[in-house]
Amino acid sequence: MHDGLLYAYFTAAGENRIERFPLDGDPLALGSGETVLAGIPAAGNHNGGRIAFGPDGMLYATAGDAGDRSSARDPAALSGKILRMTPDGGVPADNPYPGSLVYSLGHRNPQGIAWAQDGTMYASEFGQDTWDELNVIEPGGDYGWPDVEGAAGRAGLIDPVQQWAPADASPSGIAIAGDTLYIANLRGERLREIPLAEPASSIEHLVAEEGRLRDVVVTPDGELWVLTNNTDGRGEPRPEDDRILGFALR
């Protein structure tokens, strides 16, 4: 939600698209949609799809490489990127590539995005076969895909602050509460707690207890909500799946 409008990123016929909708009536219902951004490359997977407003009031969106690896480091392509735009879909004047929505590049399939209190931006990312990642996102930063996966120590490329084998991760949504970052993991079936003061460390919760975890958010009243994702054809549904689990923050 932003200024009374609900923003959504979805895969349509032949493209990924961002639209926004007014909420009308009692009970609330979606009004007619307005396109914010169209033409983001789409495929059967690697679509990215996380959107969030940053502390600067701009709209950020993750876009996967849509199976076209070579596009990820191409600044002229929207795929394999984190995009930054005005609420209307325009190009902010201070974006790192003049006239372009591209904020960072070299991503395979970026997922969750969140900001710390000091404005630092973090993003989780699905790797291929070797490493999933947690990255600190810098404007104009190149995160290396498809030339590298995980930390490479190569000049000009930004290494993740933490990486995991995909079997233990598949990091999806992330949230920040105070000085702690939380990551919901799908294949790894766990919630990671990462202190921002030591971003290479983590504590694991709910390991193999609730199945696949798709998203995590901090509610306005200070709870942590975790969304399970066991009914997507890849998990093993349990009674009453899928669910939102609530936890009190310490």
Side-chain angles (χ1 to χ4, degrees), residues 9 47-52 60-63 110-113 124 171-174 214-216:
Y9 181 118
N47 289 301
R50 197 77 57 176
I51 57 175
Y60 292 75
T62 71
Q111 293 288 306
I113 48 178
S124 57
S172 188
I174 69 176
R214 170 63 68 178
D215 204 1
V216 55

Side-chain angles (χ1 to χ4, degrees), residues 40-41 63-66 68 71-74 77-81 83 107:
I40 305 171
D65 68 7
D68 181 4
S71 71
R73 296 186 67 197
D74 178 1
L78 295 182
S79 47
K81 308 294 188 298
L83 308 175
H107 298 287

Side-chain angles (χ1 to χ4, degrees), residues 217-234:
V217 298
V218 179
T219 68
D221 58 0
E223 270 197 322
L224 196 69
W225 283 7
V226 179
L227 175 66
T228 69
N229 193 187
N230 296 313
T231 60
D232 64 353
R234 296 185 179 185

Side-chain angles (χ1 to χ4, degrees), residues 91-205:
V91 178
D94 58 348
N95 266 11
Y97 296 92
S100 171
L101 296 174
V102 173
Y103 190 70
S104 62
L105 47 72
H107 298 287
R108 178 178 179 269
N109 195 9
Q111 293 288 306
I113 48 178
W115 289 263
Q117 291 179 344
D118 64 1
T120 301
M121 182 180 181
Y122 293 83
S124 57
E125 183 160 343
F126 292 159
Q128 177 70 33
D129 300 313
T130 309
W131 297 115
D132 292 337
E133 302 174 356
L134 175 66
N135 289 298
V136 172
I137 302 301
E138 300 178 10
D142 186 342
Y143 292 82
W145 176 257
D147 299 285
V148 301
E149 182 180 351
R154 187 180 300 182
L157 304 181
I158 300 175
D159 285 343
V161 293
Q162 192 165 165
Q163 61 187 29
W164 315 272
D168 298 325
S170 295
S172 188
I174 69 176
I176 293 176
D179 57 2
T180 303
L181 184 147
Y182 296 89
I183 306 178
N185 291 269
L186 290 162
R187 185 178 171 190
E189 298 187 355
R190 67 198 69 190
L191 179 71
R192 279 195 170 87
E193 174 185 342
I194 296 175
L196 296 181
E198 299 180 43
S201 65
S202 66
I203 302 168
E204 297 183 350
H205 306 280

